[in-house]
């Protein structure tokens, strides 16, 4: 059974605005140094909840910080998409679950499709319902995200004009 | 007595571990190996005392991969309803009995980075097989409470095999080291906690874990008895939609007992509200949930009853059976 969650376009961990999760008694804020104002705003909302903050310049610093945290901690993450993916994976590798993560993406969220003709993932316009893969196949963007393939399943179809004999 | 699917075995070794705990080893009587199991599994034993058949569930303590024999350990319960007393006083080497296939409601979580076991008294038993089933990339620690080293079953064995990961908590020694819930505050992220022992201890640790912010998925426990107060129960009538029967449930029996008495093929397993095997859909009536299986959300959202311990809030209940 493959059950390691990954960060994807519709992940339950994503939020537009960070807000303290009440069940947890501790907080760990992992924030890109460039957006430290976000960390300060959250800190103010946490009141007297014990918290630790890491303002990172690169994500190499993140693992040691995560491992130091104790059970009962909620991780609040502020980063761009690529960094957030790395931090999410590191947190999961160290045993955190999606329930213990809240992530605010700075900039665009990214959406990927997995082509069922050439079996490769590629980035797509988040709004598109149909796309063309690099292999030439036309794909319907399916509703199912594959954690194994790291993309929404893309179902090949023959466009009407090409389908006419 | 031979129940379909059960395994015939005989006792080939009995060890007195402490003054109140005996270890029993079973070997198969037929020319087949025993099924493998997973750490934390238990089985049901069927032993007969004339007309009375004692059905009792016990955790397996032997190596889950060992198919030559199984081992269990039984504490002689001072409030025994007959089962543990019979095992201690009447069962001997060479006696034959039936056992069920192993089942596991207390399995190790495969996503944990670190397992922490909290045992009290005979609650050590499931952890003995779990310690032998840890994955290579996971770590483990055991906290084991007993009154004294003499009353601590498997003390020498644990010291020898798992001394580096085991902390003994003796409450009646010159320097008592009581087991407290505070230990849980210091477990690293990715830890899963497991509790087994008296109901009061399990409930105390479970509640503390949630108050320390542990997610529900990281908290696991097993009970050996329901710990319910059955002194002020009210009788009620249960109506069955499938058979159309109406059955009176007295204040002295559980809904499950009443169903079985009337020959209804109702599902069940642990009989202490811990496994969910007896869960039945409720068509009409309110339920007084008394189990340890359904979460608070489940109790609100699911219109079901665990027949082994939960009851009707009013005088009538209709269930889909």
């Amino acid at each position: 059974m493959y059950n390691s969650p990954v960060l994807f376009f519709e992940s339950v961990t994503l939020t537009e605005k960070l807000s303290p999760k009440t069940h947890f008694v501790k907080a760990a804020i992992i924030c890109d140094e460039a957006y430290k104002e976000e960390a300060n705003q959250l800190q103010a909302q946490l009141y007297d909840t014990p918290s630790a903050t890491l303002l990172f310049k690169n994500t190499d610093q993140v693992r040691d910080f995560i491992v130091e945290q104790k059970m009962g901690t909620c991780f609040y993450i502020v980063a761009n998409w690529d960094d957030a993916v790395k931090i999410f994976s590191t947190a999961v590798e160290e045993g955190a679950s999606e329930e213990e993560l809240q992530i605010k993406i700075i900039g665009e969220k990214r959406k990927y499709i997995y082509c069922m003709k050439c079996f490769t993932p590629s980035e797509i316009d988040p709004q598109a319902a149909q796309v063309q893969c690099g292999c030439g196949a036309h794909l319907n963007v399916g509703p199912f995200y594959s954690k194994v393939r790291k993309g929404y399943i893309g179902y090949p179809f023959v466009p009407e004009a090409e389908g006419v004999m | 007595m031979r129940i379909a699917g059960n395994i015939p075995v005989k006792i080939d070794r009995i060890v007195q571990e402490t003054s109140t705990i005996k270890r029993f080893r079973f070997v198969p009587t037929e020319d087949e190996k025993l099924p493998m199991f997973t750490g934390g599994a238990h089985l049901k034993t069927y032993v007969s005392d004339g007309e009375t058949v004692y059905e009792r569930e016990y955790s397996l303590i032997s190596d889950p991969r060992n198919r030559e024999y199984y081992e269990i350990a039984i504490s002689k319960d001072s409030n025994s309803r007959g089962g543990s007393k019979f095992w201690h006083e009447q069962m001997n080497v060479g006696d034959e009995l039936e056992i069920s296939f192993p089942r596991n409601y207390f399995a190790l979580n495969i996503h944990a980075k670190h397992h922490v076991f909290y045992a009290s008294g005979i609650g050590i038993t499931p952890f003995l097989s779990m310690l032998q089933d840890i994955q290579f990339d996971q770590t483990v620690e055991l906290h084991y409470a007993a009154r004294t080293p003499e009353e601590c079953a498997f003390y020498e064995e644990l010291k020898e095999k798992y001394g580096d990961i085991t902390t003994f908590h003796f409450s009646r020694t010159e320097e008592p080291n009581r087991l407290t819930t505070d230990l849980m505050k210091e477990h690293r992220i990715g830890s899963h906690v497991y509790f087994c022992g008296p109901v009061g201890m399990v409930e105390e640790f479970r509640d503390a874990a949630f108050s320390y912010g542990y997610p529900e998925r990281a908290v696991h426990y097993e009970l050996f008895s329901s710990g319910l107060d059955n002194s002020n129960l009210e009788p009620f009538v249960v109506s069955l939609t499938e058979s159309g029967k109406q059955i009176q449930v007295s204040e002295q029996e559980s809904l499950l007992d009443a169903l079985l008495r009337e020959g209804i093929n109702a599902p069940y397993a642990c009989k202490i509200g811990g496994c969910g095997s007896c869960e039945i859909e409720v068509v009409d009536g309110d339920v007084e949930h008394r189990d340890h299986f359904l979460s608070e959300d489940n109790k609100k959202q699911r219109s079901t009853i665990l027949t082994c311990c939960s009851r009707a809030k009013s005088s009538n209940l209709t269930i889909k059976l």
Side-chain angles (χ1 to χ4, degrees), chain A residues 9-31:
Chain A
F9 191 73
E10 290 173 305
S11 168
V12 294
T13 62
L14 294 173
T15 181
E16 293 297 316
K17 185 175 184 303
L18 294 175
S19 58
K21 288 179 137 186
T22 51
H23 175 64
F24 295 93
V25 297
K26 295 182 273 267
I29 303 169
I30 301 173
C31 181

Side-chain angles (χ1 to χ4, degrees), chain A residues 48-94:
Chain A
D48 51 0
T49 302
S51 64
T53 301
L54 172 70
L55 298 175
F56 68 86
K57 285 184 180 167
N58 67 65
T59 52
D60 294 345
Q61 306 162 266
V62 168
R63 187 178 299 274
D64 288 346
F65 178 78
I66 289 173
V67 172
E68 284 170 12
Q69 307 309 316
K70 308 295 184 194
M71 288 299 289
T73 302
C74 184
F75 291 90
Y76 300 92
I77 298 161
V78 182
N80 64 40
W81 181 263
D82 289 343
D83 285 347
V85 168
K86 287 180 197 162
I87 296 166
F88 182 101
S89 301
T90 304
V92 169
E93 281 167 23
E94 293 304 335

Side-chain angles (χ1 to χ4, degrees), chain A residues 1 3 23-26 66-67 69-73 75 93-97 99-100, chain B residues 110-111 113 184-192 210-218:
Chain A
M1 182 178 68
N3 199 19
H23 175 64
F24 295 93
V25 297
K26 295 182 273 267
I66 289 173
V67 172
Q69 307 309 316
K70 308 295 184 194
M71 288 299 289
T73 302
F75 291 90
E93 281 167 23
E94 293 304 335
S97 63
E99 191 182 348
E100 292 159 304
Chain B
I110 59 168
H111 302 297
K113 293 296 287 186
M184 286 191 290
K185 291 177 180 171
E186 294 305 316
H187 297 321
R188 54 152 292 174
I189 199 78
S191 298
H192 281 236
F210 292 137
S211 74
Y212 299 156
Y214 278 65
E216 206 167 307
R217 59 162 193 95

Side-chain angles (χ1 to χ4, degrees), chain B residues 61-65 127-134 162:
Chain B
I61 64 171
S62 45
D63 183 340
R65 287 163 290 278
F127 299 129
L128 296 174
S129 64
M130 292 161 90
L131 283 166
Q132 301 174 74
D133 207 17
I134 302 290
Y162 303 107

Side-chain angles (χ1 to χ4, degrees), chain A residues 37-152:
Chain A
E37 191 48 41
E38 293 279 350
N40 292 338
Q41 283 176 17
L42 178 64
Q43 192 76 60
Q45 293 180 67
L46 288 167
Y47 299 107
D48 51 0
T49 302
S51 64
T53 301
L54 172 70
L55 298 175
F56 68 86
K57 285 184 180 167
N58 67 65
T59 52
D60 294 345
Q61 306 162 266
V62 168
R63 187 178 299 274
D64 288 346
F65 178 78
I66 289 173
V67 172
E68 284 170 12
Q69 307 309 316
K70 308 295 184 194
M71 288 299 289
T73 302
C74 184
F75 291 90
Y76 300 92
I77 298 161
V78 182
N80 64 40
W81 181 263
D82 289 343
D83 285 347
V85 168
K86 287 180 197 162
I87 296 166
F88 182 101
S89 301
T90 304
V92 169
E93 281 167 23
E94 293 304 335
S97 63
E98 287 171 303
E99 191 182 348
E100 292 159 304
L101 302 171
Q102 193 180 93
I103 301 173
K104 177 172 179 175
I105 300 294
I106 304 295
E108 292 296 309
K109 288 192 288 179
R110 295 195 179 163
K111 189 171 184 179
Y112 293 85
I113 195 168
Y114 183 77
C115 175
M116 293 302 288
K117 187 174 180 192
C118 70
F119 307 116
T120 53
S122 52
E123 189 176 349
I124 58 170
D125 174 356
Q127 308 306 326
Q130 294 179 338
V131 297
Q132 190 167 13
C133 179
C135 69
H138 292 270
L139 304 173
N140 276 320
V141 182
F144 307 112
Y145 182 83
S146 166
K147 290 176 178 177
V148 179
R149 304 300 180 195
K150 295 184 171 56
Y152 286 85

